[in-house]
Amino acid sequence: MAENNDHTHVAQPDEQIKALGRLVGSWRVSGGTEGTVTYRWLDGGFFLIQDVELEQYGQRITGIEVIGREKPFGADKAGEDIKTRFYDNQGNTFDYVYELEGDTLTIWGGEKGSPAYYRGTFSTDGDTVSGSWVYPGGGGYDSVMTKIK
């Protein structure tokens, strides 16, 4: 009698994760923050890694962000939201939720629906994302990413 072995099923990234593939590559960032960011897939395609080299308010910011669905130890399936954690050279950790609907990318600060967020739109050719960071009480800024390679 054959054993039913769940371990033979190979998990695959879902369509929402795969759709973030349009971010893969290096981008020049301009606006309230200047510099470059590079997105790349972690082997398996479940997580995007963003490498950050920016200058904001006269400070150099370098860091790494891991973008994907949380699947804690012992969980049967991954969470609903595409969550991230950003780690920088100043000891900060910031959590975000990524949401891509059509050509509109929203990056929520903290949890989905937060009053702090970025919303940008991909150009028709996919080589530019133009939008703004919005913060409660003001202080947001426009930001444009232009694909370098």
Side-chain angles (χ1 to χ4, degrees), residues 11 28 43 45 51 56 71 74 89 98 100 104 124 129 134-135 139:
R28 184 176 62 253
D43 286 348
D51 297 301
Q56 185 176 35
K71 186 177 177 188
N89 62 315
Y98 273 52
L100 181 61
T104 301
T124 305
V129 184
V134 175
Y135 299 129

Side-chain angles (χ1 to χ4, degrees), residues 6 19 21 52 60 82-83 86 97 109 135 141:
D6 246 4
V52 173
R60 182 174 168 263
I82 297 173
K83 295 191 173 188
F86 176 74
V97 173
Y135 299 129
Y141 57 88

Side-chain angles (χ1 to χ4, degrees), residues 6-12 46:
D6 246 4
H7 299 288
T8 60
H9 173 74
V10 177
Q12 296 293 319
F46 290 94

Side-chain angles (χ1 to χ4, degrees), residues 11 14 31 36 58 76 92 105 129 144 146 148:
D14 63 70
T36 59
D76 290 332
N92 296 305
L105 174 65
V129 184
V144 176
T146 305
I148 302 169

